[in-house]
Amino acid sequence: MQTATPPPVPSRPVILENNLPGVRLTSETGFTSEIYNHGAHVGSWRDGNGDAILFLSKHAQFTPPKAIRGGIPICFPQFSNLGPCATQHGFARNQAWELVEQDSSQHKSRECVFQLASSDATKELWPHEFVARFRVALVGDTMETSLSVTNSSDAKTFEFTAALHTYFAVGDIAKASVAGLGNTTYLDSLDGRIEKVDANESVTFPHEVDRIYQQTPDCLQVVDEANNRTIQIKKTNLPDAVVWNPWVDKCKATSDLGDSDYEKFLCVEAAAIQNPVKLAPGETWVCSQVLRVSKGCV
Ligand code: BG6
């Protein structure tokens, strides 16, 4: 006898804790994540014990169009001021995205896709026709994310830069580091973006750090000694990596961060900055970032 395939569950956002619509995902090992329609912003990723792997500021504002401080903001169509529009980090993190796909098994979702299509509002900021899609999937102790951008115009080529501005929660910044960037060239955003070479095996944080590492390896690690864990970052089509920690003064000056929050997070932002992505009409660009958490420090 044939069993009838259950009808697909409609993709419908729920209202999440901060009164914003979004999706809650749960992996088969009990990891969870919340993704908001606002910015297609990954707001949280927690392990089976409920411990946060991503940092979300207690002072974050959930009042669109303001971007949410923490999690994974999507910087598109530019990183910082390096790109084609006037808005810091582009506008994708400030826009309402639409939930277009969501799987469901026994009322738990593991995967969802949000979409942002160009509109009159985006064209005022960047005069191009595009469709961006952001997929998030939880597979065991892994979070898979991928971003695609299609040039949906029939005439105009465009260029953009992009980053997945991931805020990693760490137990103590003094015992945290980023591995994989030894002997890599970076632009020092705290020193006129002049080019420097990092001779150290790991990036540590004894002070403010704001660097654009260029042409980096596809595998990097956030080593979080205080929490005795390592998060592996595996990226594709995102050759650059921004490493940022605001340290004392910038933390105090940033209204949606607590004064001592710099002790509790560091950002590694898988990015395409040095060589902007160029898309002809009809072309699609796809990048991905896969995060995996494991016990112990490398
Ligand atoms: C980082 C930049 O990517 O984002 C920093 O390198 C910037 O220079 C930081 O301060 C935060 O930016 P925003 O716009 O979210 O406050």
Short mmCIF file of all heavy atoms in Angstrom, two decimals, residues 1-5:
data_model
loop_
_atom_site.label_atom_id
_atom_site.label_comp_id
_atom_site.label_asym_id
_atom_site.label_seq_id
_atom_site.Cartn_x
_atom_site.Cartn_y
_atom_site.Cartn_z
N MET A 1 0.84 -1.20 0.00
CA MET A 1 0.00 0.00 0.00
C MET A 1 0.88 1.26 0.00
O MET A 1 1.86 1.32 0.74
CB MET A 1 -0.88 -0.02 1.25
CG MET A 1 -2.08 0.88 1.14
SD MET A 1 -3.12 0.73 2.62
CE MET A 1 -2.30 1.82 3.73
N GLN A 2 0.48 2.18 -0.79
CA GLN A 2 1.27 3.42 -0.86
C GLN A 2 0.85 4.39 0.25
O GLN A 2 -0.34 4.57 0.49
CB GLN A 2 1.00 4.10 -2.20
CG GLN A 2 2.04 3.72 -3.23
CD GLN A 2 1.99 4.67 -4.39
OE1 GLN A 2 0.97 5.30 -4.64
NE2 GLN A 2 3.08 4.76 -5.10
N THR A 3 1.84 4.94 0.95
CA THR A 3 1.48 5.96 1.94
C THR A 3 1.48 7.32 1.27
O THR A 3 2.40 7.63 0.50
CB THR A 3 2.47 5.98 3.12
OG1 THR A 3 3.74 5.59 2.62
CG2 THR A 3 2.04 5.12 4.26
N ALA A 4 0.48 8.07 1.57
CA ALA A 4 0.38 9.40 0.95
C ALA A 4 1.46 10.31 1.50
O ALA A 4 1.76 10.28 2.70
CB ALA A 4 -0.99 10.00 1.24
N THR A 5 2.11 11.06 0.62
CA THR A 5 3.11 12.03 1.07
C THR A 5 2.37 13.19 1.76
O THR A 5 1.41 13.71 1.20
CB THR A 5 3.87 12.60 -0.14
OG1 THR A 5 4.17 11.50 -0.99
CG2 THR A 5 5.12 13.33 0.26
#
